Amino acid sequence: MSGQVTPEMVAEHGLNDEEYERILAALGRAPNYTELGIYSVMWSEHCSYKSSKVHLKTLPTEAPWVICGPGENAGVIDIGDGQAAIFKMESHNHPSYIEPYQGAATGVGGILRDVFTMGARPVANLNALRFGDPDHPKTRHLVSGVVAGIGGYGNCVGVPTVGGETEFDHSYNGNILVNAMTVGIAETDKIFYSAAAGIGNPVVYVGSKTGRDGIHGATMASAEFSEDSEEKRPTVQVGDPFTEKLLIEACLELMASDAIVAIQDMGAAGLTSSSVEMASKGGVGFELDLDKVPQREAGMAPYEIMLSESQERMLIVLKPDRQDLAQGIFEKWGLDFAVIGRITDTGRLRILCGGEVEADIPIASLVDDTPEYERPWVAGPAAPLLAVDDVPASNDLGAALLKLLGGPNLSSRRWIWEQYDHMVMADTLGSGRPGGDAAVVRVHGTNKGLAMCTDCTPRYVEADPEEGGKQAVAETWRNLTACGAKPLAITDCLNFGNPERPEIMGQFALAVRGIGEACRALEYPVVSGNVSFYNETNGKAIKPTPTIGGLGLIADLAHRASPAFGAKGDAILLIGKTKGHLGASRFLKEILGRTDGAPPPVDLVAERRNGDFVRSLIETGRLTCCHDLSDGGLLVALSEMVLAGRIGAEIDAPNDLALHAWAFGEDQARYLLALQPDDAEAVLSEAEKASVPAQRIGTVGGTSLKIKWLFEVGLEDLEAAHGGWFDRYMSRLDK
């Protein structure tokens, strides 16, 4: 293991010739095998962001309520009353394709650790899933394994899974996406960071023992797939949610004392990244003795110990006089506790094993001197704007609606969320089940709530990356607003193909530009996130998928809204301008089999104006029924409100717009409201004064969705179409 490094070894570790020359210059000599492994993971795309940093630096990350932005384990925002929300989203895409159950499960475990390592008790999980074509031979197996992994880990660890999204598209046939998000709550004066301090202070390893699972996980996540992807199965970690639960409780108990100087979870690149990041942020050195690392397998080499990504492990710097206290806590919870090193003033990572020095590296070279590429990029050809006349009208709007509602992408996700415990901890609100615009979780012991959601429309991003990036942010902002929350901040998980291809880098650069534009216009900063490149197989990339996780605050839970229609006779109002935009729409793809056209333009001024107006109605208690419009347009949104409330609606069709464009156009910045008729008139008057487009389009009541003079679909038919696809699809899993 400590022998001479060959050019073949360098290439196998994902390092190019120029990067290897930088390593030689940093060390003043050739690295040994262990040192090569350490550089390879720390300089991997997954850990170093070497292709994305130049663009990520342009994103807005500050606001008066932001306590901690990007750079720590998770983002932190102030939610008042001495409390903070801590949240982040991460990807576990490659592992989940290779081994769907453990890949998804350990994705959940890893994001939980990112949150509780900062002192927060996790209160909610979400996930954003992208699978291949339903007819692809692997898709059912992958759906089954991923959903079981998410449920198996989240349910056992006792944190509710409250929301997310699931989409099917052929571009994910060879590379699915599993993005996991966790939200936690902490006291603002009990937030923990990762910067090590105190020369001589002990470096302590806690949690599970180290094994050989997950070695080179970070490197695998920084390369595209090929025919040999199945051979990468050993790089997938194995999770134990019961140990994670013990680790959460032990860490939170220790955090209630004054023992911790710094704390970091062992995520990607394991002991290497945790020790290097802690030392780098504190401007100190680390000396580690690998003989003292708890190990579950015999004969592990230093290379393996440093690069293992075994789960449920943490690294802590303790105050020296608190070591016995900490050891007692972790032993009480049945977890390993070992002092494996100390802080030095050398600025170096020094690794000992068997009394010999196995690595001696300047820490700055691993973090501050990582490669940073401004990769060449090109913008793809602009998708043409489709006029309404360019899209043939549907002969039967009712049949088209049922086909959309009953298809793989707009049908009920009940089959998925019934496998998740979404009520554990007893603070999940609303219907108590996923399916609304945003999930709402009570801040325990208070009358305020956190609203949260994930969103992205990859077909928009593919057609116009900048507009697609703006739309992903704006849709989370609308979803939070629609339930009455004030949107505060986002986390992101930016999933793209190979950044070494200029067209892929163009998608990324423009999407980030759009995200930044939207965040600035909406005062909605980015506080944490993740970039996942190389999501492609044999040179065929996924659709660009910059998933956005939004978080908002409901100051008074007595004033919130749901998408369910309520009382018979309520007036239905449409907020926002409808032009009938069908480019890149769900109707165009699912009904007409076309994918052309520019996506709907995002007017950020209108988004802000319309959303602030709607939220003001909810916050003042005047509105309790609200739903934003997105995938599928007006009729899909109306159907969802009918189904949620189990009561019908009668809608007036327009006479100034093509009916299929009115029914299924995906114009942005729109909401549907339901109010008592007298209140509706007052709201329409106020909307006019605020320059917010608004019109009454119908009335709640009956047992069907009736579009006057056009068609009528009974509630039972809507339910049958919407509720049946997933059960039928997954029932064929073993056939």
Side-chain angles (χ1 to χ4, degrees):
M1 284 293 189
S2 299
Q4 185 175 4
V5 169
T6 66
E8 291 76 20
M9 291 179 185
V10 174
E12 287 169 1
H13 282 75
L15 295 162
N16 61 36
D17 292 343
E18 181 184 348
E19 289 169 345
Y20 186 64
E21 289 298 320
R22 291 173 67 121
I23 294 171
L24 294 177
L27 292 176
R29 56 176 171 79
N32 63 32
Y33 193 72
T34 300
E35 291 168 331
L36 180 70
I38 290 171
Y39 272 104
S40 77
V41 291
M42 290 306 301
W43 285 12
S44 69
E45 194 72 61
H46 189 78
C47 291
S48 74
Y49 295 89
K50 58 189 175 185
S51 297
S52 58
K53 279 188 286 191
V54 65
H55 300 284
L56 298 179
K57 290 174 184 176
T58 67
L59 292 171
T61 60
E62 298 179 347
W65 51 89
V66 174
I67 295 173
C68 178
E72 275 292 339
N73 288 287
V76 186
I77 57 174
D78 194 325
I79 59 172
D81 306 310
Q83 294 176 308
I86 300 180
F87 68 110
K88 188 182 181 184
M89 189 188 311
E90 277 271 10
S91 62
H92 231 223
N93 304 333
H94 285 48
S96 298
Y97 182 79
I98 295 171
E99 213 304 299
Y101 184 96
Q102 290 296 347
T106 53
V108 174
I111 197 64
L112 283 166
R113 289 193 299 279
D114 278 338
V115 168
F116 76 74
T117 193
M118 296 194 71
R121 178 170 290 280
V123 297
N125 290 329
L126 300 90
N127 51 78
L129 312 177
R130 297 296 187 307
F131 297 105
D133 192 298
D135 293 330
H136 190 275
K138 280 192 174 182
T139 300
R140 280 189 195 83
H141 163 71
L142 292 168
V143 172
S144 177
V146 165
V147 171
I150 291 169
Y153 205 99
N155 296 352
C156 292
V157 84
V159 177
T161 300
V162 298
E165 55 182 337
T166 303
E167 183 177 14
F168 295 87
D169 185 89
H170 67 88
S171 75
Y172 306 105
N173 281 348
N175 196 128
I176 64 173
L177 302 184
V178 175
N179 297 169
M181 175 175 167
T182 292
V183 180
I185 296 173
E187 297 176 17
T188 54
D189 61 351
K190 283 286 187 180
I191 295 169
F192 292 83
Y193 299 98
S194 56
I199 305 305
N201 277 348
V203 177
V204 178
Y205 171 119
V206 299
S208 292
K209 289 179 169 59
T210 293
R212 289 189 170 95
D213 54 322
I215 295 173
H216 276 304
T219 307
M220 176 193 69
S222 306
E224 64 182 84
F225 278 154
S226 60
E227 290 88 349
D228 66 352
S229 62
E230 290 298 319
E231 297 174 10
K232 298 178 179 178
R233 190 176 301 273
T235 63
V236 178
Q237 311 93 325
V238 177
D240 180 353
F242 299 105
T243 299
E244 181 101 338
K245 174 62 174 173
L246 299 176
L247 189 59
I248 291 173
E249 299 304 330
C251 286
L252 292 178
E253 182 176 340
L254 183 62
M255 288 167 172
S257 72
D258 62 347
I260 296 175
V261 175
I263 184 168
Q264 174 80 29
D265 79 293
M266 294 191 213
L271 183 55
T272 290
S273 63
S274 57
S275 57
V276 168
E277 289 170 11
M278 294 177 82
S280 171
K281 288 174 182 173
V284 297
F286 267 32
E287 182 174 277
L288 304 179
D289 185 347
L290 300 189
D291 292 333
K292 297 178 179 178
V293 172
Q295 299 166 47
R296 68 169 181 258
E297 298 183 48
M300 290 188 69
Y303 178 99
E304 295 173 313
I305 297 170
M306 290 302 296
L307 270 62
S308 168
E309 293 184 11
S310 294
Q311 297 291 284
E312 295 88 40
R313 301 180 302 159
M314 309 283 282
L315 202 62
I316 304 174
V317 174
L318 289 173
K319 295 178 181 178
D321 61 341
R322 310 301 279 170
Q323 183 175 318
D324 290 344
L325 168 73
Q327 184 167 356
I329 290 173
F330 281 92
E331 289 180 351
K332 179 184 75 174
W333 288 99
L335 298 167
D336 277 296
F337 178 100
V339 177
I340 65 168
R342 63 186 181 91
I343 295 180
T344 69
D345 61 0
T346 64
R348 302 181 73 86
L349 177 67
R350 192 165 185 262
I351 306 297
L352 306 175
C353 188
E356 300 291 329
V357 177
E358 284 291 336
D360 191 354
I361 302 173
I363 287 169
S365 72
L366 293 168
V367 180
D368 301 331
D369 299 332
T370 56
E372 182 173 326
Y373 297 124
E374 192 164 353
R375 296 195 184 277
W377 62 270
V378 296
L385 188 67
L386 287 185
V388 171
D389 292 344
D390 294 333
V391 182
S394 173
N395 293 327
D396 188 337
L397 294 181
L401 173 63
L402 290 175
K403 184 175 181 180
L404 287 172
L405 289 174
N409 285 307
L410 294 178
S411 56
S412 168
R413 270 54 183 141
R414 178 185 293 270
W415 183 90
I416 294 177
W417 59 252
E418 281 187 338
Q419 298 184 54
Y420 303 154
D421 188 339
H422 43 273
M423 294 300 291
V424 65
M425 301 179 78
D427 280 316
T428 308
L429 298 180
S431 61
R433 62 189 188 189
D437 288 300
V440 179
V441 174
R442 181 190 302 275
V443 177
H444 192 73
T446 75
N447 197 40
K448 62 187 179 186
L450 295 177
M452 57 202 76
C453 61
T454 70
D455 284 296
C456 184
T457 310
R459 63 184 188 278
Y460 291 176
V461 189
E462 183 178 52
D464 186 328
E466 188 168 347
E467 286 298 307
K470 286 195 285 189
Q471 191 275 340
V473 173
E475 189 172 344
T476 66
W477 197 84
R478 283 199 306 274
N479 279 327
L480 298 174
T481 292
C483 70
K486 169 66 176 173
L488 293 178
I490 71 165
T491 182
D492 58 40
C493 198
L494 308 178
N495 308 273
F496 289 80
N498 185 342
E500 298 167 51
R501 294 202 283 142
E503 64 273 22
I504 299 297
M505 203 64 218
Q507 292 176 340
F508 180 84
L510 291 169
V512 170
R513 182 186 298 175
I515 290 168
E517 290 176 36
C519 289
R520 279 184 285 271
L522 300 173
E523 291 187 275
Y524 192 35
V526 185
V527 297
S528 60
N530 168 242
V531 176
S532 176
F533 278 134
Y534 297 97
N535 289 290
E536 55 181 80
T537 299
N538 295 326
K540 187 171 181 56
I542 62 164
K543 277 185 169 62
T545 311
T547 307
I548 305 297
L551 190 72
L553 177 68
I554 301 177
D556 182 356
L557 286 170
H559 295 161
R560 56 191 172 89
S562 85
F565 280 144
K568 178 181 179 181
D570 279 357
I572 302 171
L573 307 188
L574 175 61
I575 301 293
K577 191 173 293 185
T578 298
K579 295 182 178 179
H581 190 100
L582 288 168
S585 67
R586 190 62 73 185
F587 173 83
L588 198 70
K589 185 175 191 299
E590 306 295 343
I591 304 302
L592 301 179
R594 291 169 52 181
T595 58
D596 53 324
V602 179
D603 182 338
L604 293 168
V605 173
E607 288 283 2
R608 182 72 181 266
R609 181 187 62 231
N610 297 358
D612 288 348
F613 177 76
V614 168
R615 192 183 318 104
S616 70
L617 298 175
I618 301 171
E619 288 175 341
T620 54
R622 299 171 62 194
L623 177 65
T624 60
C625 177
C626 180
H627 191 23
D628 92 304
L629 275 71
S630 55
D631 247 17
L634 177 63
L635 290 193
V636 167
L638 284 166
S639 299
E640 290 168 345
M641 298 176 84
V642 164
L643 290 166
R646 295 194 56 79
I647 187 171
E650 187 172 294
I651 306 299
D652 297 313
N655 54 22
D656 59 348
L657 187 63
L659 292 175
H660 65 305
W662 166 80
F664 301 115
E666 296 181 5
D667 306 275
Q668 300 294 290
R670 296 189 298 163
Y671 301 81
L672 283 167
L673 321 178
L675 309 95
Q676 293 183 357
D678 291 345
D679 294 336
E681 291 304 316
V683 167
L684 288 171
S685 176
E686 292 169 27
E688 184 177 9
K689 292 176 183 176
S691 300
V692 172
Q695 58 179 310
R696 179 170 178 170
I697 64 168
T699 304
V700 175
T703 58
S704 66
L705 175 60
K706 180 179 181 181
I707 311 301
K708 290 182 183 177
W709 310 296
L710 292 177
F711 70 88
E712 183 174 2
V713 180
L715 183 57
E716 290 184 358
D717 291 332
L718 288 173
E719 288 177 333
H722 187 244
W725 184 86
F726 239 110
D727 284 339
R728 291 193 301 272
Y729 179 69
M730 296 308 295
S731 70
R732 301 196 295 272
L733 180 64
D734 298 320
K735 295 180 182 179

